[in-house]
Amino acid sequence: MPPSLRLIGFTLIATGLSSCSLLRNLSGGSEAPKVAPPPVVHDQPRSAPLQPGQNVIVKAVERVGPSVVRIDTEKNINNPMGQLFGLGPSTQRQQGQGSGFITRANGLIFTNEHVVRGADRVNVTLPDGRRFQGTVLGGDPLTDVAVVKVVAENLPVASLGNSDQLRPGEWAIAIGNPFGLNNTVTAGIISAVDRTDANIGEGQRVPYIQTDAAVNPGNSGGPLISAAGEVIGMNTAIRKAPGAGLSFAVPINLAKRIAQQIVSTGQASHPFIGVQLRSLTPQLAREINATSTRCTVPVVNGVLVVDVVPDTPAEAAGIRQCDLIRAVNGTTVENPSEVQLAVDRGSVGQPMQITIERNGLEQSLEVLPKELPRRR
């Protein structure tokens, strides 16, 4: 298998329910369960953030570079020709490669889920030449975040920044192992933030960081670094188009939240309420009003509920077809992607306030999200 990095075309990838779906069913009980504090998945920075200035890229790389690792994987796959005709062995060994970065000195490593998916063996190599056998603690296909553990102490640790404060135009520095070329550094700028329309991955549950820093197969799972010498994202995909030159990273705040869940339970949790949504425009509203006998919608921009899945939290809470969703837990939403991101920031079984507009009147409904059904 070639070095790992997803190549993204221009087709829309489905979300957990449909291309504009959100989902889940009611948890039993009237009292919300007590939530334990999340596990520690990263060590605190050992020094203050770098101050932007001369040679800032060099200084940022010197700080984070020692914690960036190469991840080599091996997977045994069936050889149908060998099984049917005796042409070679019945199984073949498939190799892959990606990147990752150490977040705890005791050997906790963040990487992409697609880098270690199905791997029978994972080897981790540090820039100083040390090599360890890794154990995959878990991975989340929806966000493409995975956590690997090696048995070690006093490893170099990457400082994690705050991806919620990023702005287009800031420096973006990538470190990884593209095409097996270890410790390769590229730089560019943050081209955009909160990209949910880039047709990446399993849906719209990730507000991707878009950058023009050169990223290639093998960079998957490696860090995207700020001028302050802090990890702001995890490189996960590139745009497949002539001359595109765009790459996308999972924001580090999201990666950290998913990693905490993986370390706690071995898997990530995604709330589900059970609605299908569509962006409403004045033109679409007029078309609906002219052709539909089920409802009349206001001639405005908004998020329209086009269907409510039976036996789901949304149905139990009283959300109906043709409602407009205006806010989720107090956060105003303007398109289906923003609704899905807001829902995903909630917790399974914890009350979620959904503000809807129905017949020109706003009302707040309490929804108890269920766990998103997992693919088998």
Side-chain angles (χ1 to χ4, degrees), residues 170-234:
E170 294 182 14
W171 281 110
I173 307 160
I175 307 178
N177 309 293
F179 303 113
L181 300 173
N182 296 344
N183 309 115
T184 295
V185 178
T186 57
I189 63 169
I190 295 173
S191 305
V193 296
D194 296 334
R195 282 292 194 212
T196 57
D197 56 352
N199 301 345
I200 299 172
E202 297 290 337
Q204 300 169 322
R205 292 180 180 269
V206 179
Y208 290 99
I209 303 167
Q210 178 184 321
T211 175
D212 64 351
V215 172
N216 292 285
N219 274 110
S220 279
L224 188 69
I225 306 166
S226 70
E230 297 176 326
V231 179
I232 54 175
M234 180 193 302

Side-chain angles (χ1 to χ4, degrees), residues 3 13 27 41 58 71 75 142 150 199 225 232 239 269 274 293 335 359 376:
I13 306 297
S27 292
V41 295
V58 173
I71 297 179
K75 177 168 58 176
L142 286 178
V150 300
N199 301 345
I225 306 166
I232 54 175
R239 189 72 169 207
S269 177
T293 58
N335 57 62
N359 298 325
R376 296 184 178 181

Side-chain angles (χ1 to χ4, degrees), residues 42-43 63-64 67-68 101-104 156-160 223 229 231:
H42 70 100
D43 293 332
R63 171 173 290 187
V64 180
S67 67
V68 181
F101 52 97
I102 304 169
T103 61
R104 296 210 68 188
V157 173
S159 296
L160 306 187
V231 179

Side-chain angles (χ1 to χ4, degrees), residues 41-341:
V41 295
H42 70 100
D43 293 332
Q44 293 297 322
R46 298 175 182 176
S47 57
L50 296 173
Q51 297 301 313
Q54 190 175 12
N55 296 324
V56 66
I57 293 178
V58 173
K59 292 182 181 297
V61 171
E62 288 177 346
R63 171 173 290 187
V64 180
S67 67
V68 181
V69 302
R70 188 182 77 230
I71 297 179
D72 295 289
T73 63
E74 294 181 4
K75 177 168 58 176
N76 293 324
I77 60 174
N78 292 328
N79 178 11
M81 298 297 291
Q83 293 177 335
L84 294 175
F85 304 106
L87 301 176
S90 59
T91 61
Q92 292 179 326
R93 186 174 64 180
Q94 188 177 71
Q95 296 180 325
Q97 189 180 87
S99 304
F101 52 97
I102 304 169
T103 61
R104 296 210 68 188
N106 64 357
L108 204 67
I109 298 167
F110 287 12
T111 188
N112 281 152
E113 188 274 340
H114 78 266
V115 168
V116 296
R117 183 183 303 157
D120 297 303
R121 186 179 181 87
V122 176
N123 291 316
V124 175
T125 305
L126 273 64
D128 61 14
R130 285 182 288 174
R131 190 172 185 180
F132 302 92
Q133 184 170 338
T135 299
V136 180
L137 299 185
D140 179 35
L142 286 178
T143 58
D144 205 15
V145 174
V147 180
V148 174
K149 183 71 171 65
V150 300
V151 178
E153 296 293 339
N154 300 318
L155 296 180
V157 173
S159 296
L160 306 187
N162 183 359
S163 53
D164 291 340
Q165 298 177 349
L166 299 179
R167 297 175 299 172
E170 294 182 14
W171 281 110
I173 307 160
I175 307 178
N177 309 293
F179 303 113
L181 300 173
N182 296 344
N183 309 115
T184 295
V185 178
T186 57
I189 63 169
I190 295 173
S191 305
V193 296
D194 296 334
R195 282 292 194 212
T196 57
D197 56 352
N199 301 345
I200 299 172
E202 297 290 337
Q204 300 169 322
R205 292 180 180 269
V206 179
Y208 290 99
I209 303 167
Q210 178 184 321
T211 175
D212 64 351
V215 172
N216 292 285
N219 274 110
S220 279
L224 188 69
I225 306 166
S226 70
E230 297 176 326
V231 179
I232 54 175
M234 180 193 302
N235 297 311
T236 189
I238 58 178
R239 189 72 169 207
K240 185 180 179 182
L246 300 177
S247 59
F248 300 88
V250 178
I252 195 60
N253 289 6
L254 174 59
K256 184 169 67 174
R257 175 165 62 86
I258 297 298
Q260 288 170 336
Q261 296 174 2
I262 290 173
V263 171
S264 293
T265 66
Q267 61 186 14
S269 177
H270 294 285
F272 166 91
I273 64 172
V275 291
Q276 294 181 346
L277 307 175
R278 182 170 179 179
S279 290
L280 181 68
T281 63
Q283 179 179 354
L284 177 60
R286 285 189 286 268
E287 293 176 359
I288 293 174
N289 294 337
T291 58
S292 175
T293 58
R294 291 192 175 187
C295 58
T296 301
V297 297
V299 184
V300 296
N301 291 303
V303 184
L304 179 67
V305 177
V306 296
D307 193 19
V308 178
V309 181
D311 300 321
T312 61
E315 183 184 62
I319 296 177
R320 302 177 187 172
Q321 186 182 52
C322 298
D323 286 346
L324 297 185
I325 295 182
R326 293 301 194 185
V328 178
N329 277 341
T331 300
T332 301
V333 291
E334 297 180 353
N335 57 62
S337 295
E338 291 183 357
V339 176
Q340 188 157 10
L341 291 174

